[in-house]
């Protein structure tokens, strides 16, 4: 427990805004870079598989090399080979987990701030178990989204194959999705950074409070012209640890909650102000 590293009964507003935002913004930048690499690789590899002569065997796309070439057929392209979702899920997890772990450690250190936070990171929070669980949740969420993107590319190829597109047209369909996927990567990076940062703050705050302590958080919007109405209405809500905020028609654990509907988390810039009261 980190509780023994602090002095007396109560610690209020532990989070230093500038350090916290630095950690959150760095996480967004790092996650965006990885996601953009993944979606570019996804499009390039999917296009290459569609164009592969090996994939064409048994389909109308195989170019016969002699009069009766049994490698030509009427089977559809094997979409599972075009987009191997299991492989993409594993690849995304391997690429994202180290970045997310580093971001979580930075957020934990920023929360406690100063000498206590210096070098503490995830290892100092309940043996790292709670923060590790956050990293796993976020990594699994993102990996499933990448797998879903691969699945949709496969479905796109299958749709084109059914309506008679040739290989060049199918490859063009895949490549045309890159701008949309890059835009998604930016949007997902924003939510990832916001959600991860607040999830780590939550587990660190609970650990700091210890058994019998109390943690509460206040929802704070940016209160500017870009804030959606539901988040302006949520501004000022106070919840104890474990209680959810009422945001629009949804119940959120924190800004950027990975369980929440997209309309309440996309590009969210809200934050939480924490109060940690330790048991005497």
């Amino acid at each position: 427990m980190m509780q023994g590293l602090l002095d007396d009964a109560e610690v209020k507003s532990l989070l230093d805004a500038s350090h916290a935002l630095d950690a959150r913004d760095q996480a967004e930048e790092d996650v965006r870079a990885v996601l953009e690499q993944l979606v570019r690789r996804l499009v390039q590899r999917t296009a290459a598989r569609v164009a592969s002569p090996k994939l064409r065997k048994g389909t109308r796309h195989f170019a016969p090399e002699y009069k009766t070439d049994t490698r030509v057929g009427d089977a559809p392209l094997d979409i599972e080979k075009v987009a191997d979702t299991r492989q993409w899920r594993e690849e995304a997890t391997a690429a994202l987990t180290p970045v997310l772990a580093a971001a979580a450690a930075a957020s934990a250190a920023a929360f406690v701030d100063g000498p206590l936070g210096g070098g503490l990171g995830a290892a100092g929070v309940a043996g790292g178990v709670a923060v590790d669980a956050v990293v796993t949740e976020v990594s699994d969420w993102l990996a499933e989204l990448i797998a879903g993107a691969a699945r949709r590319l496969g479905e796109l190829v299958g749709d084109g194959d059914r309506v008679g597109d040739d290989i060049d047209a199918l490859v063009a369909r895949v490549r045309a999705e890159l701008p949309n996927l890059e835009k998604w990567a930016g949007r997902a990076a924003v939510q990832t950074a916001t959600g991860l940062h607040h999830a780590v703050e939550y587990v660190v705050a609970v650990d700091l409070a210890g058994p019998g302590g109390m943690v509460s958080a206040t929802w704070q919007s940016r209160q500017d012209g870009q804030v959606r109405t539901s988040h302006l209405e949520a501004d000022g809500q106070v919840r104890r640890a474990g209680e959810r905020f009422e945001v629009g028609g949804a119940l959120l654990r924190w800004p950027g909650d990975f369980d929440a509907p997209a309309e309440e988390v996309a590009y969210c810039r809200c934050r939480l102000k924490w109060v940690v009261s330790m048991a005497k």
Side-chain angles (χ1 to χ4, degrees), residues 63-204:
E65 296 180 0
Y66 32 86
K67 187 174 182 179
T68 305
D69 193 332
T70 58
R71 291 172 295 180
V72 179
D74 57 4
L77 290 171
D78 189 340
I79 301 306
E80 290 187 3
K81 290 182 179 179
V82 169
D84 186 337
T85 55
R86 179 191 58 80
Q87 178 185 357
W88 280 109
R89 191 178 291 106
E90 293 174 354
E91 193 164 329
T93 298
L96 287 161
T97 298
V99 174
L100 296 172
S107 289
F111 189 89
V112 293
D113 192 31
L116 181 60
L120 179 64
V125 184
V129 174
V131 170
D132 286 349
V134 171
V135 171
T136 298
E137 177 187 356
V138 182
S139 180
D140 288 349
W141 174 72
L142 283 171
E144 191 57 42
L145 292 176
I146 290 290
R151 187 180 304 108
R152 286 189 294 276
L153 285 182
E155 292 169 351
L156 191 67
V157 171
D159 291 343
D161 190 28
R162 281 189 292 275
V163 300
D165 284 359
D166 61 17
I167 290 296
D168 288 343
L170 294 175
V171 169
R173 278 180 178 248
V174 172
R175 294 194 183 281
E177 289 300 303
L178 182 56
N180 292 332
L181 287 170
E182 288 178 327
K183 184 177 180 180
W184 166 83
R187 184 170 64 249
V190 173
Q191 184 180 352
T192 298
T194 300
L196 174 70
H197 187 72
H198 286 98
V200 169
E201 287 182 350
Y202 172 82
V203 298
V204 174

Side-chain angles (χ1 to χ4, degrees), residues 214-220 233-241 243-246 272-275:
M214 187 181 74
V215 174
S216 65
T218 303
W219 187 287
Q220 296 182 324
E233 293 172 347
D235 187 79
Q237 283 188 32
V238 180
R239 296 290 185 270
R240 290 190 178 186
E243 297 178 348
R244 296 190 177 228
F245 294 90
E246 297 177 15
L272 298 181
K273 182 177 181 180
W274 300 87
V275 173

